Amino acid sequence: MLLTSFLAIWLACLALFVQDVARGTPYPPLLVDRPEAARGHPRVAGLLSGFEGIGVAVGERLISVAGRDLAGAGPVEVASAFALAPPRTPISVELERDGQLRSAVIAAPSYRQYWPRALASLTFGITALALLLRGRPSPMVRAFVWTHYAAAIFFACS
């Protein structure tokens, strides 16, 4: 039962990951803090390495991404706004700093660059299945099966 659950979770994660890779789903090149007020806007807390020159500065409030208002949004909602933007196109963002609104257009990175993780996940998953079906039952084989399934899920879900 537990093994069946792990297998189902892994296959679902792998399918969703492959879909994101194939679509070229964008992800945010920045990190945000939760807003201080319930309807406030998230503040840019940092930029991913290599994206320092995208026209967004730490400390600015993120008002909207691709036309989606981010009032009350946290990190998950910001990532969702980027993921819902059209793939492989520059994304418009609205920012506010010291009461001044401004717009910027940024080229968000895509999950497409992580396609090798799908192969790693598949390799770990198939190896775990082969060990489970062909290996002699022992504590060591069970340990290898579970660690390989954990690695397969890690590569597919992260």
Side-chain angles (χ1 to χ4, degrees):
M1 178 66 175
L2 184 61
L3 184 63
T4 306
S5 299
F6 262 80
L7 188 61
I9 290 169
W10 170 59
L11 289 175
C13 285
L14 185 62
L16 291 171
F17 179 72
V18 168
Q19 178 185 6
D20 280 343
V21 168
R23 180 179 175 267
T25 302
Y27 65 91
L30 46 88
L31 306 170
V32 297
D33 289 329
R34 292 203 64 74
E36 289 110 23
R39 294 292 300 156
H41 289 87
R43 187 178 300 276
V44 176
L47 300 170
L48 296 183
S49 180
F51 291 94
E52 291 82 8
I54 62 171
V56 177
V58 172
E60 291 182 309
R61 291 194 187 281
L62 199 55
I63 306 300
S64 70
V65 170
R68 288 177 179 77
D69 183 31
L70 295 176
V76 172
E77 292 88 356
V78 170
S80 177
F82 273 92
L84 292 172
R88 297 178 295 279
T89 60
I91 298 172
S92 63
V93 296
E94 225 178 295
L95 304 152
E96 182 262 324
R97 184 179 200 100
D98 299 327
Q100 300 290 329
L101 282 176
R102 69 179 189 85
S103 296
V105 177
I106 60 175
S110 162
Y111 283 108
R112 184 163 282 175
Q113 66 189 354
Y114 295 115
W115 69 266
R117 294 181 83 145
L119 296 179
S121 177
L122 201 55
T123 301
F124 277 106
I126 289 171
T127 303
L129 193 59
L131 282 170
L132 183 67
L133 298 175
R134 304 290 292 164
R136 288 198 339 219
S138 72
M140 181 179 278
V141 168
R142 277 193 306 277
F144 274 102
V145 166
W146 288 113
T147 54
H148 276 66
Y149 268 131
I153 289 173
F154 170 78
F155 283 115
C157 296
S158 61

